Amino acid sequence: MTWGRIAACAATVLAYLLIAPVSAGAASPQLDPAATVAKGTQALGRAIGNYTLVDMKGAPLALRDYRGKPLVISLVYTACSSVCPPTTQHVIDAVNEAGRMIGLDRFNVLTVGFDARNDTPVRLTQFASMQGIKLPNWRVASADPATIEALLGDLGFSYRAVAGGFDHLTQTTIVDREGRIYRHVYGEEFPLQMFMEPLKDVVYGTTTSFTFSGIVDRIKFICTAYDPGAGRYRIDYGLVFGSVIAAFSLLVMGGLILREWFRSAHA
């Protein structure tokens, strides 16, 4: 089974388990899990608009500035006391592991406060401080209601206001270097592989350029493997050695074929 199918199946299961209203006394009906997952699935491959947000320092943050590197988007609201804090902690752990194996300079992370009326720069700063968001490639931002609504529409994100907060899907989105939505990861404590595998896809690329850095990236993509015993990723040096031998063999074979072609051409 491919990671795409695993993610789709897991997303549906997790959505049913994890969508819950913030307040048990809320009169509003719960979100329909099947509809929310379907909405997110329809957003895959969609380009995110060039919106301008405001970060926790009050500075403008243009999403077009993220083009060129993959982007991880985590959606929260700062007054949340239930799923948003533990989800953020889990995203921090996943990003730290990705930084260790891939490099923090290879991708960016953006936490978006979707409560446009209340997620002010002051509250965003408090949220980031309480959650320990300190990585250099990670920013926290929100925007005016119209901009937030448009961004959430692009992301296929579902939420509903209820008494005391919001009923919403716990969604982390991985965007490729061209600004297109590549994968949604659902759940408060998603498996690390569901985050790392699509992130590897968009960082290393699905095709290899015939350059030294391109070949190195392809080797890293193939040889970075999850160790279930340790619960983390590692470089499988056996795969590295096999990849190097295979590449060398192809070069030798290519050289032999080229030599024979020259011989036959000048015979």
Side-chain angles (χ1 to χ4, degrees):
M1 183 178 288
T2 66
W3 273 107
R5 291 180 180 177
I6 293 173
C9 293
T12 303
V13 174
L14 287 170
Y16 275 95
L17 294 174
L18 296 170
I19 297 177
V22 176
S23 172
S28 300
Q30 294 185 19
L31 294 171
D32 175 24
T36 58
V37 172
K39 183 178 179 181
T41 301
Q42 290 170 1
L44 298 179
R46 181 183 299 160
I48 296 176
N50 292 323
Y51 308 113
T52 297
L53 284 63
V54 178
D55 72 9
M56 63 186 190
K57 296 181 180 179
L61 189 160
L63 292 184
R64 64 175 175 272
D65 293 342
Y66 282 115
R67 298 293 192 269
K69 284 186 181 182
L71 175 65
V72 176
I73 300 178
S74 175
L75 298 164
V76 303
Y77 68 99
T78 58
C80 179
S81 59
S82 54
V83 298
C84 296
T87 300
T88 300
Q89 291 301 306
H90 194 63
V91 173
I92 289 173
D93 290 341
V95 168
N96 279 327
E97 179 66 3
R100 186 180 69 84
M101 294 305 303
I102 298 173
L104 291 175
D105 61 327
R106 301 296 300 272
F107 65 98
N108 289 301
V109 188
L110 175 64
T111 291
V112 175
F114 65 83
D115 184 3
R117 300 187 186 280
N118 298 302
D119 289 344
T120 62
V122 171
R123 289 194 175 186
L124 294 171
T125 299
Q126 293 171 345
F127 183 85
S129 176
M130 291 180 65
Q131 299 307 314
I133 298 174
K134 301 176 181 178
L135 296 174
N137 64 334
W138 195 325
R139 295 177 74 178
V140 183
S142 189
D144 60 85
T147 300
I148 287 294
E149 204 63 30
L151 174 59
L152 298 184
D154 287 354
L155 293 171
F157 178 71
S158 298
Y159 75 106
R160 178 173 296 183
V162 296
F166 293 91
D167 176 12
H168 67 94
L169 196 65
T170 50
Q171 176 177 314
T172 304
T173 298
I174 296 173
V175 181
D176 69 17
R177 64 184 71 242
E178 283 79 36
R180 296 188 300 263
I181 298 169
Y182 184 75
R183 186 72 52 81
H184 297 306
V185 182
Y186 297 109
E188 180 181 328
E189 295 185 358
F190 51 79
L192 180 60
Q193 305 97 301
M194 290 183 66
F195 177 85
M196 282 286 289
E197 294 303 320
L199 186 60
K200 283 169 55 182
D201 287 347
V202 294
V203 169
Y204 295 132
T206 55
T207 59
T208 303
S209 59
F210 195 69
T211 62
F212 179 76
S213 61
I215 293 172
V216 169
D217 274 354
R218 184 51 41 187
I219 291 174
K220 287 181 179 179
F221 176 81
I222 295 171
C223 302
T224 302
Y226 182 69
D227 183 346
R232 62 192 309 186
Y233 276 74
R234 64 181 179 83
I235 299 295
D236 189 328
Y237 289 100
L239 289 175
V240 172
F241 182 75
S243 299
V244 171
I245 292 298
F248 180 75
S249 299
L250 287 174
L251 287 174
V252 171
M253 182 63 67
L256 291 174
I257 293 173
L258 187 62
R259 187 184 67 179
E260 291 302 316
W261 180 83
F262 271 115
R263 283 183 176 179
S264 61
H266 294 85

